[in-house]
Amino acid sequence: MDSLVGLTGYIGVTFLLLGYFLLIIGQVKVTDTHHTMLNVLGALLVVITLHSGGAVPIFPTLVVWLLISVFGLYKHHIATAA
């Protein structure tokens, strides 16, 4: 179980770093759904891992990161629907 939790965290961090890297090299824009989804999934997986392991200081940070990413998706969806 611990190895599955650890793997989940590494996948989450990979998503976060990949999203940032793609942004930096100009392959995605901040407003791209793919970029935001990498943030949402990455933050969610890291939050799950941290919650299981009890790493309290980073937990609230990533919960906020997740909420901001979800808000970004919502805002993008509203903007494209109008």
Side-chain angles (χ1 to χ4, degrees):
M1 178 67 174
D2 285 340
S3 61
L4 181 60
V5 171
L7 179 63
T8 301
Y10 280 110
I11 293 170
V13 168
T14 301
F15 285 168
L16 292 173
L17 294 175
L18 178 62
Y20 187 55
F21 177 71
L22 292 173
L23 181 67
I24 292 300
I25 65 170
Q27 292 297 308
V28 296
K29 297 178 184 174
V30 173
T31 56
D32 289 348
T33 302
H34 293 94
H35 177 259
T36 306
M37 284 306 299
L38 283 171
N39 277 320
V40 168
L41 293 175
L44 179 62
L45 292 175
V46 173
V47 164
I48 289 168
T49 302
L50 293 175
H51 182 65
S52 299
V56 177
I58 196 70
F59 184 78
T61 304
L62 286 171
V63 168
V64 171
W65 187 327
L66 176 62
L67 293 174
I68 291 169
S69 298
V70 169
F71 173 75
L73 276 177
Y74 174 75
K75 184 177 176 185
H76 178 72
H77 177 72
I78 294 299
T80 57

